[in-house]
């Protein structure tokens, strides 16, 4: 509670958007980025896979989704996880939680195509990991999105009950092994016949999203959508 009070006080005394969130250059246009850095924020607004939502060469289902369909029905992400987009997400995950406002504005537009949904959940963290970081970045995004779109947020529908090693350097198969048994469905009854929107920060191999969405599907959810700030580009070769 005290930590949150000081955060709000700091925000009032030192408002954002006076410096670029990437390079630190002074800006006075009320934007998050200077003109040069804005070019490094890569929008995912060209051809995409209609299932996983990742950037593709042409608008068709990617080979990965054909070979191993994800456990969600559809996914979207407003940014491509590279260059400045990857850098700013890393900052968001490591202390600069105020960036949720920028990300939620982007995600709000992308989420429109999934409406209506019955409720929104986020990909969970263990209690220990959340205490260490100070917040769950996916929960910040989910709550911000719900506020903008007047949606219902449900906490602890899925719990993360086991710590996992860092995933970024692992293959999809290794990620699946790493995530085995780390999530548990906590609120099974509310999922039946519901349309659920799952929120996370990044979609890479889809191992984490599959682990969470599989539990929702097993609980007889009617439809499952997934949204993240960014996703990696799909490259066939």
């Amino acid at each position: 509670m005290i930590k949150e009070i000081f955060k709000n006080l700091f925000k009032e005394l030192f408002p954002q958007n006076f410096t670029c969130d990437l390079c630190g250059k002074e800006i006075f246009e009320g934007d998050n980025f200077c003109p040069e850095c804005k070019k490094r924020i890569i929008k995912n607004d060209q051809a995409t896979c209609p299932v996983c939502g990742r950037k593709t060469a042409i608008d068709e289902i990617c080979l990965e989704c054909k070979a191993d369909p994800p456990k969600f029905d559809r996914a979207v992400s407003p940014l491509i996880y590279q260059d400045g987009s990857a850098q700013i997400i890393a900052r968001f995950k490591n202390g600069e939680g105020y960036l949720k406002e920028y990300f939620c504005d982007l995600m709000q537009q992308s989420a429109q195509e999934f409406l209506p949904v019955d409720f929104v959940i986020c990909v969970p963290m263990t209690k220990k990991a959340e205490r260490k970081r100070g917040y769950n970045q996916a929960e910040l995004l989910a709550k911000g999105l719900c506020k903008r779109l007047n949606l219902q947020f449900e906490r602890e529908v899925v719990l993360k009950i086991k710590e996992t090693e860092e995933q970024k350097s692992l293959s999809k198969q290794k990620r699946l092994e790493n995530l085995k048994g780390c999530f548990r469905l906590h609120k099974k009854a509310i999922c039946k016949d519901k349309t659920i929107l799952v929120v996370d920060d990044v979609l890479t191999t889809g191992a984490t999203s599959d682990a969470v969405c599989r539990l929702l599907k097993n609980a007889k959810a009617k439809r499952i959508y997934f949204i993240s700030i960014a996703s990696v580009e799909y490259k066939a070769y």
Side-chain angles (χ1 to χ4, degrees):
M1 180 69 71
I2 294 174
K3 186 176 182 180
E4 192 63 31
I5 291 172
F6 275 107
K7 278 186 179 179
N8 291 334
L9 180 61
F10 185 86
K11 186 176 179 181
E12 291 296 323
L13 293 176
F14 304 100
Q16 307 300 326
N17 298 342
F18 282 175
T19 59
C20 173
D21 287 319
L22 273 181
C23 71
K25 181 191 297 182
E26 287 190 350
I27 51 175
F28 300 99
E29 294 83 7
D31 207 342
N32 286 82
F33 309 104
C34 67
E36 292 78 14
C37 288
K38 189 178 289 188
K39 298 173 185 176
R40 297 178 55 210
I41 306 298
I42 314 299
K43 297 289 182 67
N44 189 22
D45 56 3
Q46 301 299 315
T48 59
C49 169
V51 178
C52 68
R54 293 182 295 169
K55 179 185 176 183
T56 53
I58 55 177
D59 285 307
E60 65 175 24
I61 299 177
C62 69
L63 295 179
E64 285 186 20
C65 287
K66 287 180 180 178
D68 185 18
K71 301 304 180 284
F72 49 69
D73 291 277
R74 285 188 58 216
V76 294
S77 48
L79 301 179
I80 300 172
Y81 191 63
Q82 64 183 58
D83 195 20
S85 301
Q87 185 178 340
I88 202 66
I89 290 171
R91 292 189 177 186
F92 172 57
K93 293 171 68 171
N94 292 285
E96 300 186 27
Y98 70 90
L99 288 166
K100 67 181 180 182
E101 301 299 333
Y102 168 70
F103 293 135
C104 285
D105 286 344
L106 292 178
M107 295 169 77
Q108 176 183 357
Q109 302 170 37
S110 301
Q112 296 285 347
E113 59 187 281
F114 293 153
L115 302 182
V117 300
D118 291 296
F119 58 85
V120 178
I121 73 168
C122 67
V123 171
M125 300 172 69
T126 62
K127 297 296 183 184
K128 180 180 179 181
E130 190 169 340
R131 284 195 299 270
K132 182 178 180 180
R133 178 169 290 169
Y135 55 88
N136 177 351
Q137 71 276 6
E139 183 171 327
L140 292 183
L141 296 171
K143 288 181 175 178
L145 201 56
C146 286
K147 184 176 181 180
R148 285 163 171 75
L149 296 174
N150 194 29
L151 300 174
Q152 177 182 340
F153 176 68
E154 287 285 348
R155 290 195 85 246
E156 299 186 335
V157 173
V158 176
L159 301 177
K160 189 172 184 183
I161 57 175
K162 186 179 75 173
E163 294 289 352
T164 51
E165 64 177 286
E166 184 66 42
Q167 297 244 103
K168 68 174 70 174
S169 61
L170 301 180
S171 66
K172 183 171 183 177
Q173 186 57 42
K174 290 292 186 182
R175 289 180 185 225
L176 289 170
E177 294 172 8
N178 188 38
L179 292 168
K180 191 173 182 179
C182 78
F183 294 116
R184 177 171 66 84
L185 188 64
H186 183 57
K187 296 181 179 179
K188 182 177 180 179
I190 70 169
C191 298
K192 187 177 180 180
D193 298 326
K194 295 297 193 295
T195 298
I196 305 171
L197 177 61
V198 182
V199 179
D200 201 6
D201 52 0
V202 180
L203 177 67
T204 49
T205 65
T208 300
S209 62
D210 272 5
V212 172
C213 294
R214 181 183 290 107
L215 294 174
L216 302 176
K217 185 163 284 189
N218 290 343
K220 302 292 195 294
K222 178 182 178 182
R223 194 169 289 110
I224 305 167
Y225 296 128
F226 185 90
I227 186 169
S228 57
I229 304 168
S231 57
V232 298
E233 179 180 354
Y234 168 73
K235 296 180 179 179
Y237 306 103

